Amino acid sequence: MEDLQTIVNDIAKKYGSKDERGTVADYIPQLACVDPNQFGISIVTSEGQEYSAGDAEVPFSIQSISKVFALTLALQQEGAELWERVGREPSGDPFNSIVQLEHDHGVPRNPFINAGAIVVTDVLLTGSTSVEANARLLNFLRMVSEDENIDIDLAVAESETEHGYRNFALANFIRAYGNLNNEPADTLDVYFKNCSIAMSCQQLAHAGRFLVLDGQNGLTGDAITSSRTARRVNAMMLTCGHYDGSGEFAYRVGLPGKSGVGGGILCVAPGFASIACWSPGLNAIGNSHLATKALEELAARTGWSVFSNSIK
Ligand code: GLU
């Protein structure tokens, strides 16, 4: 295989300087302030070696990527019972669709669309305070990325709360169908703060390493989660991680991945590496325009794919 540092250097140079960069999300006003000319990429291998280039140290709003870690915690806590409240099928609809929720009687199609993540958040909030629920995800992220400096960007959380009419509609709708235990405003408070966690590509790539290692902590060999849960989270990332662009991402990149409207994508090459790529401009579906293209090139150059075991 080509040297990984050469690959990330080439990719950061090529995509960092593209003119066509997509459009920064503006439905959360605070995200509209982010400079679209940034591009970062980090790879952390199964052995723990890191290869980074571009703006890999710049923290960005992880947004929906937080749903990967919230799902891991909720599956650990609830086991199979979680699936009584949220489905496992790709949605084929936008991430914030309300129509589908009515059709499915308040049981969201999967844990990675907003409605599903709101239910997962409600599961994590039940039996604890909102401060504890946020701290639980934050501490989990600090532990898996081995970095105590990760935090919530409260300005983003506030901005999203102020403009979160659609998410309030979803949460109220779910509550009306009896699939939310807490008050919509309380569950959303935790949800918005989880989405507003800021991390760099480096931190995120380290955080994804347990999904590369079948649930194991790469440093200690201890189980962060069971191999069963890690595999299932990866399966959800592959089938549902890119909103209604999930099939296209699986086709082009061939790896489980989860995107967020902050422009980040976390990608897992099981057994090989965790990859985080970030560029704030989004395509029409809401996935980072350049990070998607960069990951397609990375997968082609490394040969990493869940559909083949022939590495280049
Ligand atoms: N906090 C965002 C929202 O609820 C997350 C969306 C995303 O990244 O997909 O709209």
Side-chain angles (χ1 to χ4, degrees):
M1 201 208 294
E2 285 180 86
D3 172 57
L4 288 175
Q5 191 60 52
T6 307
I7 296 180
V8 291
N9 287 348
D10 287 356
I11 285 178
K13 197 168 163 204
K14 176 171 169 186
Y15 294 96
S17 59
K18 288 266 185 215
D19 291 332
E20 179 49 60
R21 310 191 67 84
T23 313
V24 174
D26 59 3
Y27 78 100
I28 301 171
Q30 195 67 23
L31 292 184
C33 309
V34 178
D35 174 7
N37 293 312
Q38 301 177 90
F39 181 95
I41 185 163
S42 277
I43 297 177
V44 172
T45 64
S46 53
E47 294 86 28
Q49 273 138 351
E50 184 194 306
Y51 303 88
S52 295
D55 300 307
E57 287 177 31
V58 179
F60 60 89
S61 194
I62 65 169
Q63 292 295 320
S64 273
I65 302 172
S66 64
K67 295 171 183 171
V68 170
F69 304 97
L71 174 64
T72 304
L73 290 176
L75 269 177
Q76 248 168 237
Q77 178 184 309
E78 300 291 308
E81 275 177 35
L82 180 71
W83 303 118
E84 287 167 20
R85 294 183 58 189
V86 60
R88 296 192 291 261
E89 293 299 334
S91 71
D93 269 323
F95 67 98
N96 54 9
S97 171
I98 293 180
V99 176
Q100 190 167 67
L101 197 53
E102 175 152 39
H103 185 264
D104 294 344
H105 304 289
V107 177
R109 199 60 70 88
N110 70 62
F112 289 159
I113 50 172
N114 284 8
I118 291 168
V119 169
V120 168
T121 306
D122 189 67
V123 165
L124 296 175
L125 173 60
T126 302
S128 57
T129 65
S130 57
V131 172
E132 287 165 349
N134 281 129
R136 191 166 159 205
L137 186 74
L138 196 55
N139 288 334
F140 184 70
L141 279 169
R142 288 172 176 167
M143 188 259 293
V144 288
S145 58
E146 297 149 38
D147 195 329
E148 286 299 308
N149 296 316
I150 295 166
D151 230 323
I152 298 169
D153 182 336
L154 289 173
V156 173
E158 206 174 297
S159 178
E160 189 168 356
T161 308
E162 267 174 35
H163 296 84
Y165 301 108
R166 218 175 160 103
N167 284 322
F168 276 99
L170 288 171
N172 278 294
F173 218 71
I174 301 168
R175 172 85 190 198
Y177 276 107
N179 195 13
L180 212 65
N181 294 333
N182 298 282
E183 281 304 316
D186 295 339
T187 300
L188 285 177
D189 181 53
V190 177
Y191 170 78
F192 291 145
K193 287 189 176 123
N194 285 347
C195 287
S196 301
I197 292 171
M199 290 171 77
S200 67
C201 287
Q202 287 179 335
Q203 290 167 327
L204 205 51
H206 280 281
R209 192 168 158 221
F210 76 98
L211 293 171
V212 174
L213 295 171
D214 231 8
Q216 266 188 12
N217 181 326
L219 271 190
T220 62
D222 296 339
I224 284 174
T225 191
S226 66
S227 62
R228 193 167 133 122
T229 296
R231 288 174 192 199
R232 290 181 166 171
V233 170
N234 283 341
M236 297 310 301
M237 289 170 79
L238 184 75
T239 53
C240 308
H242 283 79
Y243 321 116
D244 44 338
S246 299
E248 183 71 5
F249 190 84
Y251 177 81
R252 290 190 176 278
V253 181
L255 295 171
K258 181 72 201 90
S259 72
V261 295
I265 300 179
L266 173 65
C267 221
V268 177
F272 296 108
S274 164
I275 308 124
C277 192
W278 169 60
S279 179
L282 308 179
N283 61 24
I285 294 174
N287 299 310
S288 172
H289 176 69
L290 291 176
T292 305
K293 291 187 181 302
L295 287 165
E296 184 178 354
E297 178 167 339
L298 179 94
R301 286 175 69 170
T302 55
W304 292 335
S305 166
V306 292
F307 302 111
S308 160
N309 59 6
S310 60
I311 298 304
K312 290 200 171 162

Short mmCIF file of all heavy atoms in Angstrom, two decimals, residues 57-113:
data_model
loop_
_atom_site.label_atom_id
_atom_site.label_comp_id
_atom_site.label_asym_id
_atom_site.label_seq_id
_atom_site.Cartn_x
_atom_site.Cartn_y
_atom_site.Cartn_z
N GLU A 57 -6.41 19.63 13.20
CA GLU A 57 -6.43 19.94 14.64
C GLU A 57 -7.52 20.94 15.00
O GLU A 57 -7.68 21.30 16.16
CB GLU A 57 -5.08 20.54 15.06
CG GLU A 57 -3.98 19.51 15.10
CD GLU A 57 -2.64 20.13 15.44
OE1 GLU A 57 -2.62 21.14 16.18
OE2 GLU A 57 -1.63 19.60 14.95
N VAL A 58 -8.27 21.39 13.99
CA VAL A 58 -9.28 22.43 14.25
C VAL A 58 -10.59 21.77 14.72
O VAL A 58 -11.13 20.91 14.01
CB VAL A 58 -9.56 23.25 12.96
CG1 VAL A 58 -10.62 24.31 13.22
CG2 VAL A 58 -8.27 23.86 12.43
N PRO A 59 -11.11 22.16 15.91
CA PRO A 59 -12.37 21.57 16.36
C PRO A 59 -13.54 22.08 15.52
O PRO A 59 -13.58 23.24 15.11
CB PRO A 59 -12.51 22.07 17.80
CG PRO A 59 -11.22 22.72 18.14
CD PRO A 59 -10.56 23.13 16.87
N PHE A 60 -14.47 21.18 15.23
CA PHE A 60 -15.69 21.56 14.51
C PHE A 60 -16.88 20.89 15.19
O PHE A 60 -16.70 20.00 16.03
CB PHE A 60 -15.60 21.15 13.03
CG PHE A 60 -15.43 19.68 12.82
CD1 PHE A 60 -16.52 18.82 12.70
CD2 PHE A 60 -14.15 19.12 12.76
CE1 PHE A 60 -16.36 17.46 12.53
CE2 PHE A 60 -13.98 17.75 12.58
CZ PHE A 60 -15.09 16.92 12.46
N SER A 61 -18.07 21.32 14.83
CA SER A 61 -19.29 20.81 15.47
C SER A 61 -19.58 19.41 14.90
O SER A 61 -19.83 19.27 13.71
CB SER A 61 -20.43 21.78 15.15
OG SER A 61 -21.52 21.53 15.97
N ILE A 62 -19.55 18.39 15.78
CA ILE A 62 -19.67 17.03 15.23
C ILE A 62 -21.11 16.72 14.81
O ILE A 62 -21.35 15.81 14.04
CB ILE A 62 -19.12 15.94 16.18
CG1 ILE A 62 -19.92 15.85 17.48
CG2 ILE A 62 -17.64 16.14 16.43
CD1 ILE A 62 -19.57 14.62 18.33
N GLN A 63 -22.07 17.47 15.35
CA GLN A 63 -23.48 17.29 15.00
C GLN A 63 -23.90 15.82 14.99
O GLN A 63 -23.74 15.14 15.98
CB GLN A 63 -23.78 18.01 13.67
CG GLN A 63 -23.68 19.53 13.80
CD GLN A 63 -24.74 20.10 14.73
OE1 GLN A 63 -25.89 19.67 14.73
NE2 GLN A 63 -24.37 21.05 15.57
N SER A 64 -24.38 15.32 13.85
CA SER A 64 -24.96 13.96 13.85
C SER A 64 -23.95 12.85 14.07
O SER A 64 -24.35 11.70 14.29
CB SER A 64 -25.68 13.71 12.54
OG SER A 64 -27.00 14.16 12.64
N ILE A 65 -22.66 13.16 14.01
CA ILE A 65 -21.68 12.09 14.29
C ILE A 65 -21.82 11.65 15.75
O ILE A 65 -21.54 10.50 16.09
CB ILE A 65 -20.25 12.57 13.95
CG1 ILE A 65 -20.18 13.00 12.49
CG2 ILE A 65 -19.23 11.47 14.24
CD1 ILE A 65 -18.87 13.67 12.09
N SER A 66 -22.32 12.55 16.60
CA SER A 66 -22.55 12.20 18.01
C SER A 66 -23.53 11.02 18.13
O SER A 66 -23.51 10.28 19.10
CB SER A 66 -23.08 13.41 18.79
OG SER A 66 -24.34 13.79 18.29
N LYS A 67 -24.37 10.84 17.09
CA LYS A 67 -25.40 9.79 17.13
C LYS A 67 -24.78 8.39 17.15
O LYS A 67 -25.39 7.45 17.64
CB LYS A 67 -26.37 9.96 15.95
CG LYS A 67 -27.16 11.27 16.06
CD LYS A 67 -27.98 11.62 14.82
CE LYS A 67 -28.67 12.97 15.03
NZ LYS A 67 -29.31 13.52 13.83
N VAL A 68 -23.58 8.26 16.61
CA VAL A 68 -22.87 6.97 16.62
C VAL A 68 -22.57 6.57 18.06
O VAL A 68 -22.78 5.42 18.47
CB VAL A 68 -21.54 7.09 15.83
CG1 VAL A 68 -20.67 5.86 16.02
CG2 VAL A 68 -21.82 7.35 14.36
N PHE A 69 -22.09 7.53 18.83
CA PHE A 69 -21.65 7.24 20.20
C PHE A 69 -22.87 7.12 21.13
O PHE A 69 -22.88 6.31 22.04
CB PHE A 69 -20.65 8.31 20.66
CG PHE A 69 -19.48 8.40 19.70
CD1 PHE A 69 -19.44 9.34 18.69
CD2 PHE A 69 -18.45 7.47 19.79
CE1 PHE A 69 -18.38 9.38 17.78
CE2 PHE A 69 -17.38 7.50 18.90
CZ PHE A 69 -17.35 8.46 17.89
N ALA A 70 -23.90 7.93 20.86
CA ALA A 70 -25.13 7.82 21.65
C ALA A 70 -25.77 6.45 21.41
O ALA A 70 -26.24 5.80 22.36
CB ALA A 70 -26.10 8.94 21.27
N LEU A 71 -25.76 5.99 20.16
CA LEU A 71 -26.32 4.66 19.86
C LEU A 71 -25.52 3.57 20.58
O LEU A 71 -26.12 2.63 21.13
CB LEU A 71 -26.32 4.41 18.34
CG LEU A 71 -26.76 3.00 17.93
CD1 LEU A 71 -28.22 2.74 18.31
CD2 LEU A 71 -26.57 2.77 16.42
N THR A 72 -24.21 3.69 20.59
CA THR A 72 -23.38 2.70 21.28
C THR A 72 -23.79 2.60 22.75
O THR A 72 -24.00 1.51 23.28
CB THR A 72 -21.88 3.08 21.18
OG1 THR A 72 -21.54 3.24 19.80
CG2 THR A 72 -20.98 2.03 21.81
N LEU A 73 -23.94 3.76 23.41
CA LEU A 73 -24.31 3.77 24.83
C LEU A 73 -25.72 3.21 25.04
O LEU A 73 -25.96 2.43 25.97
CB LEU A 73 -24.23 5.20 25.39
CG LEU A 73 -22.82 5.79 25.54
CD1 LEU A 73 -22.91 7.24 26.01
CD2 LEU A 73 -21.99 4.97 26.52
N ALA A 74 -26.64 3.58 24.16
CA ALA A 74 -28.03 3.13 24.32
C ALA A 74 -28.14 1.62 24.08
O ALA A 74 -28.90 0.93 24.77
CB ALA A 74 -28.96 3.89 23.38
N LEU A 75 -27.39 1.10 23.12
CA LEU A 75 -27.42 -0.35 22.86
C LEU A 75 -26.82 -1.11 24.03
O LEU A 75 -27.31 -2.17 24.42
CB LEU A 75 -26.64 -0.68 21.59
CG LEU A 75 -27.42 -0.69 20.28
CD1 LEU A 75 -26.50 -0.96 19.11
CD2 LEU A 75 -28.55 -1.72 20.32
N GLN A 76 -25.77 -0.54 24.60
CA GLN A 76 -25.15 -1.15 25.77
C GLN A 76 -26.14 -1.22 26.92
O GLN A 76 -26.22 -2.19 27.65
CB GLN A 76 -23.97 -0.29 26.22
CG GLN A 76 -22.62 -0.95 26.03
CD GLN A 76 -21.51 0.04 26.20
OE1 GLN A 76 -20.73 0.19 25.29
NE2 GLN A 76 -21.41 0.71 27.33
N GLN A 77 -26.89 -0.14 27.07
CA GLN A 77 -27.83 -0.03 28.18
C GLN A 77 -29.09 -0.88 27.98
O GLN A 77 -29.53 -1.57 28.89
CB GLN A 77 -28.21 1.45 28.34
CG GLN A 77 -29.22 1.73 29.42
CD GLN A 77 -29.61 3.21 29.44
OE1 GLN A 77 -28.75 4.09 29.46
NE2 GLN A 77 -30.89 3.48 29.43
N GLU A 78 -29.65 -0.82 26.80
CA GLU A 78 -30.97 -1.44 26.57
C GLU A 78 -30.92 -2.79 25.89
O GLU A 78 -31.89 -3.54 25.92
CB GLU A 78 -31.82 -0.51 25.67
CG GLU A 78 -32.07 0.85 26.25
CD GLU A 78 -33.00 0.82 27.44
OE1 GLU A 78 -34.09 0.25 27.35
OE2 GLU A 78 -32.60 1.36 28.49
N GLY A 79 -29.84 -3.09 25.18
CA GLY A 79 -29.80 -4.31 24.38
C GLY A 79 -30.87 -4.25 23.30
O GLY A 79 -31.26 -3.16 22.85
N ALA A 80 -31.41 -5.41 22.96
CA ALA A 80 -32.35 -5.50 21.84
C ALA A 80 -33.65 -4.72 22.07
O ALA A 80 -34.35 -4.37 21.12
CB ALA A 80 -32.67 -6.96 21.58
N GLU A 81 -33.94 -4.41 23.33
CA GLU A 81 -35.18 -3.67 23.61
C GLU A 81 -35.22 -2.29 22.97
O GLU A 81 -36.27 -1.74 22.71
CB GLU A 81 -35.38 -3.52 25.12
CG GLU A 81 -36.07 -4.72 25.71
CD GLU A 81 -36.21 -4.62 27.22
OE1 GLU A 81 -36.42 -3.51 27.73
OE2 GLU A 81 -36.06 -5.67 27.87
N LEU A 82 -34.01 -1.76 22.70
CA LEU A 82 -33.96 -0.44 22.04
C LEU A 82 -34.75 -0.46 20.74
O LEU A 82 -35.40 0.51 20.37
CB LEU A 82 -32.50 -0.05 21.77
CG LEU A 82 -32.30 1.30 21.09
CD1 LEU A 82 -32.63 2.44 22.05
CD2 LEU A 82 -30.87 1.46 20.59
N TRP A 83 -34.71 -1.61 20.04
CA TRP A 83 -35.31 -1.69 18.71
C TRP A 83 -36.83 -1.74 18.74
O TRP A 83 -37.48 -1.75 17.70
CB TRP A 83 -34.72 -2.88 17.95
CG TRP A 83 -33.23 -2.79 17.85
CD1 TRP A 83 -32.32 -3.67 18.35
CD2 TRP A 83 -32.44 -1.76 17.23
NE1 TRP A 83 -31.03 -3.27 18.09
CE2 TRP A 83 -31.07 -2.09 17.40
CE3 TRP A 83 -32.76 -0.57 16.54
CZ2 TRP A 83 -30.03 -1.30 16.91
CZ3 TRP A 83 -31.72 0.22 16.06
CH2 TRP A 83 -30.39 -0.14 16.25
N GLU A 84 -37.40 -1.75 19.95
CA GLU A 84 -38.86 -1.63 20.03
C GLU A 84 -39.27 -0.16 19.83
O GLU A 84 -40.41 0.14 19.51
CB GLU A 84 -39.38 -2.13 21.38
CG GLU A 84 -39.30 -3.64 21.47
CD GLU A 84 -39.49 -4.16 22.87
OE1 GLU A 84 -40.03 -3.44 23.73
OE2 GLU A 84 -39.05 -5.31 23.11
N ARG A 85 -38.31 0.74 20.05
CA ARG A 85 -38.64 2.18 19.97
C ARG A 85 -38.08 2.88 18.74
O ARG A 85 -38.44 4.02 18.45
CB ARG A 85 -38.15 2.88 21.25
CG ARG A 85 -38.91 2.40 22.49
CD ARG A 85 -38.49 3.14 23.73
NE ARG A 85 -38.68 4.58 23.60
CZ ARG A 85 -38.23 5.47 24.48
NH1 ARG A 85 -37.62 5.05 25.57
NH2 ARG A 85 -38.42 6.76 24.28
N VAL A 86 -37.16 2.21 18.05
CA VAL A 86 -36.57 2.82 16.85
C VAL A 86 -36.21 1.70 15.87
O VAL A 86 -35.81 0.61 16.29
CB VAL A 86 -35.34 3.71 17.24
CG1 VAL A 86 -34.25 2.93 17.93
CG2 VAL A 86 -34.77 4.44 16.04
N GLY A 87 -36.40 1.98 14.56
CA GLY A 87 -36.15 0.94 13.56
C GLY A 87 -34.70 0.85 13.12
O GLY A 87 -33.82 1.53 13.67
N ARG A 88 -34.47 -0.01 12.13
CA ARG A 88 -33.10 -0.22 11.65
C ARG A 88 -33.03 -0.13 10.13
O ARG A 88 -32.12 -0.67 9.52
CB ARG A 88 -32.62 -1.62 12.05
CG ARG A 88 -32.49 -1.86 13.52
CD ARG A 88 -31.75 -3.15 13.77
NE ARG A 88 -32.51 -4.31 13.38
CZ ARG A 88 -33.21 -5.07 14.22
NH1 ARG A 88 -33.24 -4.78 15.50
NH2 ARG A 88 -33.86 -6.12 13.78
N GLU A 89 -33.99 0.54 9.53
CA GLU A 89 -34.00 0.60 8.07
C GLU A 89 -33.57 1.97 7.56
O GLU A 89 -33.88 2.99 8.18
CB GLU A 89 -35.42 0.31 7.55
CG GLU A 89 -35.89 -1.10 7.81
CD GLU A 89 -35.03 -2.18 7.14
OE1 GLU A 89 -34.39 -1.89 6.11
OE2 GLU A 89 -35.00 -3.31 7.66
N PRO A 90 -32.87 2.00 6.43
CA PRO A 90 -32.53 3.29 5.82
C PRO A 90 -33.81 4.07 5.58
O PRO A 90 -34.86 3.47 5.32
CB PRO A 90 -31.88 2.89 4.49
CG PRO A 90 -31.50 1.47 4.62
CD PRO A 90 -32.41 0.85 5.64
N SER A 91 -33.72 5.38 5.68
CA SER A 91 -34.97 6.15 5.60
C SER A 91 -35.32 6.53 4.17
O SER A 91 -36.49 6.59 3.82
CB SER A 91 -34.86 7.41 6.46
OG SER A 91 -33.98 8.31 5.87
N GLY A 92 -34.32 6.84 3.35
CA GLY A 92 -34.63 7.29 1.99
C GLY A 92 -35.32 8.65 1.97
O GLY A 92 -35.81 9.10 0.94
N ASP A 93 -35.37 9.28 3.13
CA ASP A 93 -35.99 10.61 3.24
C ASP A 93 -34.99 11.54 3.92
O ASP A 93 -34.05 11.08 4.56
CB ASP A 93 -37.25 10.54 4.12
CG ASP A 93 -38.49 10.27 3.29
OD1 ASP A 93 -38.57 10.81 2.17
OD2 ASP A 93 -39.37 9.54 3.77
N PRO A 94 -35.20 12.85 3.81
CA PRO A 94 -34.27 13.78 4.48
C PRO A 94 -34.16 13.51 5.99
O PRO A 94 -35.07 12.94 6.59
CB PRO A 94 -34.89 15.15 4.22
CG PRO A 94 -35.68 14.96 2.98
CD PRO A 94 -36.19 13.55 3.02
N PHE A 95 -33.02 13.94 6.57
CA PHE A 95 -32.73 13.63 7.96
C PHE A 95 -33.74 14.17 8.95
O PHE A 95 -33.86 13.68 10.06
CB PHE A 95 -31.32 14.12 8.33
CG PHE A 95 -31.16 15.62 8.33
CD1 PHE A 95 -31.22 16.34 9.51
CD2 PHE A 95 -30.93 16.32 7.16
CE1 PHE A 95 -31.06 17.72 9.54
CE2 PHE A 95 -30.78 17.70 7.16
CZ PHE A 95 -30.84 18.40 8.34
N ASN A 96 -34.50 15.20 8.52
CA ASN A 96 -35.44 15.81 9.48
C ASN A 96 -36.89 15.63 9.02
O ASN A 96 -37.75 16.42 9.35
CB ASN A 96 -35.09 17.28 9.67
CG ASN A 96 -35.03 18.02 8.36
OD1 ASN A 96 -35.40 17.48 7.31
ND2 ASN A 96 -34.57 19.25 8.40
N SER A 97 -37.15 14.56 8.28
CA SER A 97 -38.49 14.34 7.72
C SER A 97 -39.55 14.11 8.81
O SER A 97 -39.36 13.32 9.73
CB SER A 97 -38.46 13.14 6.78
OG SER A 97 -39.76 12.79 6.40
N ILE A 98 -40.66 14.79 8.65
CA ILE A 98 -41.78 14.62 9.58
C ILE A 98 -42.81 13.64 8.98
O ILE A 98 -43.40 12.84 9.69
CB ILE A 98 -42.44 15.99 9.88
CG1 ILE A 98 -41.45 16.85 10.67
CG2 ILE A 98 -43.75 15.82 10.65
CD1 ILE A 98 -41.94 18.23 11.02
N VAL A 99 -42.96 13.68 7.67
CA VAL A 99 -43.94 12.84 6.97
C VAL A 99 -43.76 11.37 7.34
O VAL A 99 -44.71 10.67 7.68
CB VAL A 99 -43.76 13.00 5.44
CG1 VAL A 99 -44.69 12.07 4.67
CG2 VAL A 99 -43.97 14.43 5.03
N GLN A 100 -42.50 10.92 7.29
CA GLN A 100 -42.22 9.52 7.52
C GLN A 100 -42.61 9.08 8.94
O GLN A 100 -43.11 7.99 9.15
CB GLN A 100 -40.73 9.28 7.32
CG GLN A 100 -40.36 7.83 7.30
CD GLN A 100 -38.95 7.64 6.79
OE1 GLN A 100 -38.01 8.03 7.45
NE2 GLN A 100 -38.82 7.06 5.63
N LEU A 101 -42.41 10.00 9.88
CA LEU A 101 -42.70 9.70 11.28
C LEU A 101 -44.20 9.44 11.47
O LEU A 101 -44.59 8.55 12.23
CB LEU A 101 -42.25 10.88 12.13
CG LEU A 101 -42.09 10.66 13.61
CD1 LEU A 101 -41.19 9.48 13.91
CD2 LEU A 101 -41.50 11.93 14.24
N GLU A 102 -45.03 10.18 10.78
CA GLU A 102 -46.47 9.96 10.90
C GLU A 102 -46.82 8.60 10.30
O GLU A 102 -47.55 7.80 10.87
CB GLU A 102 -47.26 11.07 10.21
CG GLU A 102 -48.74 10.77 10.24
CD GLU A 102 -49.62 12.00 10.21
OE1 GLU A 102 -49.26 12.94 9.49
OE2 GLU A 102 -50.65 12.00 10.91
N HIS A 103 -46.23 8.33 9.16
CA HIS A 103 -46.47 7.05 8.48
C HIS A 103 -46.08 5.87 9.38
O HIS A 103 -46.75 4.85 9.43
CB HIS A 103 -45.66 7.04 7.18
CG HIS A 103 -45.91 5.84 6.34
ND1 HIS A 103 -45.08 4.75 6.39
CD2 HIS A 103 -46.90 5.55 5.48
CE1 HIS A 103 -45.57 3.83 5.57
NE2 HIS A 103 -46.66 4.29 5.00
N ASP A 104 -44.97 6.05 10.11
CA ASP A 104 -44.46 4.95 10.97
C ASP A 104 -44.98 5.02 12.41
O ASP A 104 -44.43 4.38 13.31
CB ASP A 104 -42.92 4.96 10.97
CG ASP A 104 -42.34 4.63 9.60
OD1 ASP A 104 -43.09 4.10 8.76
OD2 ASP A 104 -41.15 4.90 9.37
N HIS A 105 -46.01 5.81 12.64
CA HIS A 105 -46.67 5.90 13.96
C HIS A 105 -45.70 6.23 15.10
O HIS A 105 -45.76 5.60 16.17
CB HIS A 105 -47.45 4.62 14.27
CG HIS A 105 -48.45 4.29 13.20
ND1 HIS A 105 -49.60 5.02 13.02
CD2 HIS A 105 -48.45 3.35 12.22
CE1 HIS A 105 -50.27 4.54 11.98
NE2 HIS A 105 -49.59 3.54 11.48
N GLY A 106 -44.82 7.16 14.85
CA GLY A 106 -43.97 7.66 15.93
C GLY A 106 -42.77 6.77 16.24
O GLY A 106 -42.04 7.04 17.20
N VAL A 107 -42.55 5.72 15.45
CA VAL A 107 -41.35 4.89 15.63
C VAL A 107 -40.38 5.24 14.50
O VAL A 107 -40.58 4.83 13.36
CB VAL A 107 -41.68 3.37 15.61
CG1 VAL A 107 -40.41 2.53 15.73
CG2 VAL A 107 -42.65 3.03 16.73
N PRO A 108 -39.35 6.03 14.81
CA PRO A 108 -38.47 6.52 13.75
C PRO A 108 -37.79 5.37 12.99
O PRO A 108 -37.53 4.31 13.56
CB PRO A 108 -37.44 7.35 14.50
CG PRO A 108 -38.08 7.70 15.80
CD PRO A 108 -38.98 6.56 16.13
N ARG A 109 -37.51 5.60 11.73
CA ARG A 109 -36.99 4.56 10.84
C ARG A 109 -35.63 4.02 11.29
O ARG A 109 -35.34 2.86 11.16
CB ARG A 109 -36.91 5.18 9.44
CG ARG A 109 -36.84 4.26 8.26
CD ARG A 109 -37.99 3.32 8.10
NE ARG A 109 -39.28 3.82 7.70
CZ ARG A 109 -39.68 3.97 6.44
NH1 ARG A 109 -38.87 3.73 5.44
NH2 ARG A 109 -40.91 4.38 6.18
N ASN A 110 -34.77 4.89 11.80
CA ASN A 110 -33.45 4.42 12.26
C ASN A 110 -32.86 5.42 13.26
O ASN A 110 -33.35 6.55 13.38
CB ASN A 110 -32.51 4.17 11.05
CG ASN A 110 -32.07 5.43 10.35
OD1 ASN A 110 -31.41 6.28 10.95
ND2 ASN A 110 -32.46 5.62 9.10
N PRO A 111 -31.81 5.03 14.01
CA PRO A 111 -31.28 5.91 15.07
C PRO A 111 -30.44 7.09 14.59
O PRO A 111 -30.00 7.89 15.40
CB PRO A 111 -30.40 4.96 15.91
CG PRO A 111 -30.23 3.73 15.12
CD PRO A 111 -31.13 3.73 13.95
N PHE A 112 -30.22 7.18 13.27
CA PHE A 112 -29.34 8.24 12.77
C PHE A 112 -30.08 9.40 12.11
O PHE A 112 -29.48 10.42 11.80
CB PHE A 112 -28.31 7.65 11.80
CG PHE A 112 -27.27 6.79 12.49
CD1 PHE A 112 -26.54 5.85 11.78
CD2 PHE A 112 -27.00 6.91 13.85
CE1 PHE A 112 -25.57 5.06 12.40
CE2 PHE A 112 -26.04 6.13 14.49
CZ PHE A 112 -25.33 5.20 13.76
N ILE A 113 -31.39 9.21 11.83
CA ILE A 113 -32.15 10.40 11.43
C ILE A 113 -32.49 11.14 12.71
O ILE A 113 -32.47 10.57 13.81
CB ILE A 113 -33.43 10.05 10.62
CG1 ILE A 113 -34.26 8.98 11.33
CG2 ILE A 113 -33.07 9.61 9.20
CD1 ILE A 113 -35.61 8.71 10.70
#
